[in-house]
Amino acid sequence: MKILVLNSGSSSIKYQLFNMEEEIVLAKGIVERIGIADSFLEQENNAGEELRWEEDIADHSKGISLVIKALQDDDKGVLRDMDEISAIGHRVVHGGEKFADSVKIDADVIAQIEEVSDLAPLHNPPNLAGIKECQKLLPDKPQVAVFDTAFHQTMPAAAYIYALPYEYYEKYGIRRYGFHGTSHKFVARRAAELLPKEKEESKIITCHLGNGASVAAVDGGKSVDTSMGLTPLEGLVMGTRCGDIDPAIVPFLQKREGLSPEEIDNVMNKESGLLGISGVSNDSRDISEAVEDGNERAKLAEDVFQYRVKKYIGAYAAAMGGLDAIVFTAGIGENASEIRAGILSELEFLGFELDEEENNKRGEELEISTSDSEVKVFVIPTNEELVIAKDTAAIVAEL
Ligand code: ADP
């Protein structure tokens, strides 16, 4: 069975075509700069052959038709016919309280995604555009929506209710939703397989540390808390997002700097985090280089980042009343051994010891705690696209 996975953003469409029997990627690519000058499509197939088309891509309709064309390219394509594809899986950022699982898309599901779009105005509309264009261009293919928020719908109310007047929850759905759900679910499941305990009894903290970053507490296979909130802004320090701050800073800065709601939102989402503190970059590799060159603000950015993750790990061990494993994933979590070591230092009281040699390895699944540690620490590469493909295949198999 072949499944196409699409991640439609406002100006880009990322895609991967999976062969589900072997769980391999047959081709992957990206359409960039949709609706902007210099738009292009890039694709690489599993033979390593690359294709790049530079042309005017005015909208998602054109973008998706190019994806279909590239997959069937005579030279570097991987499909003879779109009929070879069984279904399409779409990443949808916000499912609100309506979706606790992946679903087959129909008119009702589209209406429900539209209904929660004001909770994710930058993400859900382009996700929907991708879905609607696929419906037009490939009307016979079943389509499945896989939500970033779904895995966290198991959180108890004590974890998701903000201490604001309750009517705002009722009126606007203001609550913690959490994101990166497909990633937290994938690595928590894998960690549970690696633990000697039954999955139902395992208490796992998953740290998804990429440009966007979040931590989740996964108790018995279910998310019981996570650091991102109504939007992905809350929680950890990220590449350009501030994460947790005193909410009173917002009106203070609006008044002092004369910022509109949109402008302060932009400051907190695009100008803060590692970039904001260091003044160097949002990329942790640039920060590490600057630290080596003696840049003190870069060091401060790294310290604040690590300290915040450490606090969440402590908080979530408390929330679950115990801990069996900590998992690191995504760009920083999978690659930055020094940052992992920094986060874990002085957390050994939780019941692990770091195996420094293992921690210095890269790019693979690792157990980085010593073999006699009671609590295990793993590095598990995430694969959100594969989760979307698997969910899609499972739903299609039931049709
Ligand atoms: P996102 O998908 O959220 O855009 P990623 O998961 O790709 O982000 O993570 C991006 C972050 O991972 C960047 O801060 C980058 O510096 C870091 N990163 C990626 N590769 C490496 C590496 N080899 N060593 C250290 N950090 C890395």
Side-chain angles (χ1 to χ4, degrees):
M1 182 191 278
K2 290 181 184 135
I3 302 279
L4 176 62
V5 171
L6 285 183
N7 180 355
S8 310
S10 57
S11 65
S12 73
I13 302 169
K14 293 187 192 132
Y15 64 98
Q16 291 195 17
L17 179 70
F18 285 88
N19 172 331
M20 297 312 289
E21 283 74 25
E22 293 151 68
E23 288 187 6
I24 55 165
V25 177
L26 297 170
K28 67 178 187 181
I30 185 163
V31 181
E32 289 255 42
R33 304 183 59 84
I34 296 172
I36 321 174
D38 306 323
S39 41
F40 63 89
L41 175 147
E42 267 178 359
Q43 174 178 289
E44 184 177 356
N45 66 19
N46 59 343
E49 294 168 327
E50 290 174 18
L51 162 161
R52 184 180 162 101
W53 293 338
E54 286 170 22
E55 60 181 280
D56 188 25
I57 307 171
D59 51 28
H60 284 72
S61 170
K62 179 74 194 286
I64 288 175
S65 55
L66 277 184
V67 171
I68 294 171
K69 202 170 140 202
L71 290 170
Q72 300 175 93
D73 185 65
D74 285 342
D75 254 2
K76 294 168 181 169
V78 285
L79 295 173
R80 257 167 293 119
D81 196 305
M82 286 309 276
D83 279 346
E84 291 176 48
I85 290 182
S86 301
I88 303 163
H90 295 268
R91 176 184 182 209
V92 180
V93 167
H94 218 306
E97 288 185 321
K98 310 222 180 253
F99 300 103
D101 233 321
S102 305
V103 285
K104 179 170 181 295
I105 296 170
D106 58 20
D108 193 36
V109 167
I110 288 186
Q112 290 183 316
I113 297 174
E114 265 160 8
E115 229 175 87
V116 297
S117 275
D118 62 342
L119 295 174
L122 299 179
H123 294 106
N124 275 26
N127 297 161
L128 274 168
I131 292 170
K132 288 178 180 170
E133 290 310 325
C134 283
Q135 284 184 325
K136 273 190 217 149
L137 295 165
L138 302 164
D140 305 332
K141 301 291 168 202
Q143 304 204 44
V144 170
V146 180
F147 300 92
D148 275 23
T149 50
F151 180 56
H152 301 301
Q153 277 296 302
T154 45
M155 279 188 289
Y160 71 69
I161 289 291
Y162 291 120
L164 290 164
Y166 193 76
E167 69 199 68
Y168 295 141
Y169 167 57
E170 294 174 307
K171 253 173 59 186
Y172 305 119
I174 290 186
R175 51 159 283 182
R176 173 181 315 288
Y177 291 95
F179 298 87
H180 292 142
T182 27
S183 177
H184 288 296
K185 178 169 148 185
F186 179 79
V187 299
R189 279 205 182 155
R190 180 64 192 139
E193 285 170 9
L194 297 170
L195 289 173
K197 273 192 179 172
E198 290 298 309
K199 177 181 153 199
E200 291 67 31
E201 289 166 16
S202 61
K203 296 179 189 296
I204 299 172
I205 295 174
T206 49
C207 308
H208 177 110
L209 310 179
N211 205 11
S214 65
V215 187
V218 183
D219 196 346
K222 296 196 167 111
S223 172
V224 293
D225 205 348
T226 190
S227 57
M228 282 179 168
L230 172 77
T231 75
L233 184 57
E234 195 182 350
L236 300 181
V237 174
M238 310 182 210
T240 58
R241 294 190 193 121
C242 58
D244 299 334
I245 58 169
D246 180 344
I249 295 169
V250 176
F252 179 94
L253 278 181
Q254 283 192 281
K255 279 186 211 144
R256 287 296 173 94
E257 295 273 314
L259 301 175
S260 67
E262 290 74 23
E263 285 166 338
I264 187 81
D265 199 54
N266 199 54
V267 168
M268 294 187 296
N269 274 292
K270 303 264 172 72
E271 297 172 12
S272 300
L274 293 176
L275 173 67
I277 300 174
S278 70
V280 172
S281 169
N282 64 307
D283 190 300
S284 72
R285 283 167 293 196
D286 299 339
I287 302 279
S288 301
E289 270 177 36
V291 172
E292 274 172 32
D293 294 343
N295 183 317
E296 284 180 16
R297 266 175 52 193
K299 175 78 173 80
L300 181 60
E302 209 171 73
D303 289 348
V304 177
F305 177 89
Q306 292 175 14
Y307 181 63
R308 186 81 51 89
V309 182
K310 185 195 294 268
K311 279 212 294 193
Y312 268 96
I313 292 174
Y316 287 171
M320 292 190 287
L323 183 63
D324 297 303
I326 300 169
V327 184
F328 288 95
T329 194
I332 297 172
E334 289 168 30
N335 296 296
S337 53
E338 283 174 17
I339 296 181
R340 287 196 299 260
I343 292 166
L344 294 171
S345 78
E346 292 169 17
L347 275 181
E348 293 83 0
F349 73 92
L350 289 172
F352 64 84
E353 194 188 328
L354 185 65
D355 182 328
E356 282 178 22
E357 199 175 314
E358 286 302 304
N359 186 43
N360 285 327
K361 292 186 182 165
R362 260 169 197 244
E364 53 185 302
E365 189 175 281
L366 298 170
E367 184 174 320
I368 61 170
S369 45
T370 55
S371 55
D372 56 354
S373 291
E374 245 173 74
V375 168
K376 298 293 177 197
V377 186
F378 300 113
V379 175
I380 301 179
T382 192
N383 195 338
E384 288 162 284
E385 291 77 16
L386 180 61
V387 179
I388 295 174
K390 279 184 171 179
D391 276 16
T392 304
I395 287 175
V396 171
E398 281 170 20
L399 295 178

